[in-house]
Amino acid sequence: MVYAYQGEGALDYFPCRYGTSKLLFRGPRRSLEPPYIAVLGGTETYGKFVPHPYPALVERATGLRLVNLGAVNAGLDVYLNDPEILGITSAAHLAVVQIVGAQNLSNRFYAVHPRRNDRFLGATPVLKSLYREVDFTEFNFTRHMVQSLQRVSAERFEIVAQELRNSWVSRMAALLERIGGKTLLLWIGAAAPAPVLGPADLGRDPLLVDAAMVAAVKSRATAYLEVLYPPVSDPPVGEGLRYATLDAPAAEGVPGAGVHETIAAALAQTLAKLLG
């Protein structure tokens, strides 16, 4: 049996579940008595290593109740595969949907874990045929796999990248449609969505999501908000993180307390306009 040891300095995320969902979310658990705002997203929304993630800061500043349904390294599939969470989100007064990367979703080239979307489950015969020289048993995570495939053949990887882009647009459109009510699409990144200019840039997050993809789904949401933070800043982007010593590598590049304050300020202002 494997035991998770938090260690000195680690945060207690007060993990909780909602309804019959098998997913664990960051607590403390919030009431689902209407009205409330549901917040869907990845690592930034969950607030990994951050004492007070932006949903909690918005709640504190506005008095609105925000239900944090973020999941670390989440893809779109984690929500589309969970009817309970979709029901909770649909019942919300408004749903904030963080734009997450395109690598963490199942597609015609590979499958991901239905709840841990960053976990690579296996390649399809189509991908194995495209990359005959690659041993796919070596991969456990999607980011490692796509980066490796691009290094093996940037030209062939563009076929995979285009499949991921198409799948992302289709899946995001489906998610917004299934939510049904008011939605706010939220972009969080060090730069605005990039235009498609040649080979895929796997150094930008959200991974493989470009301006054309955002434009394709933006009209399906009630509103759209971009919050940008510089990769180098004063104070540093990662300032205010709390983690155990063993988690130091995972904490590299994770937005810190100041970034969450920036997100919260912009989001609170937008919500005031949408709900006022």
Side-chain angles (χ1 to χ4, degrees), residues 246-272:
L246 291 176
D247 286 328
E252 291 183 9
V254 173
V259 173
H260 279 261
E261 290 170 3
T262 298
I263 299 168
L267 182 55
Q269 186 177 28
T270 301
L271 290 175

Side-chain angles (χ1 to χ4, degrees), residues 121-137:
L121 293 185
T124 67
V126 179
L127 185 57
K128 290 177 180 177
S129 177
L130 184 63
Y131 280 92
R132 296 182 183 273
E133 71 271 50
V134 173
D135 179 4
F136 288 95
T137 63

Side-chain angles (χ1 to χ4, degrees), residues 13-18 21-29 39-41 46 67-72 78-79 82 85 88:
Y13 297 104
F14 301 99
C16 64
R17 287 190 170 92
Y18 291 97
S21 175
K22 295 181 179 179
L23 296 170
L24 275 175
F25 298 103
R26 181 166 184 164
R29 191 180 188 277
V39 190
L40 280 58
Y46 183 90
V67 180
N68 188 339
L69 300 175
V72 176
V78 75
Y79 298 110
D82 196 318
I85 299 305
I88 292 170

Side-chain angles (χ1 to χ4, degrees), residues 205-228:
D205 283 314
L207 206 65
L208 290 168
V209 179
D210 58 39
M213 295 162 64
V214 173
V217 298
K218 194 161 58 172
S219 63
R220 296 176 179 269
T222 308
Y224 171 74
L225 174 65
E226 281 183 15
V227 181
L228 309 181

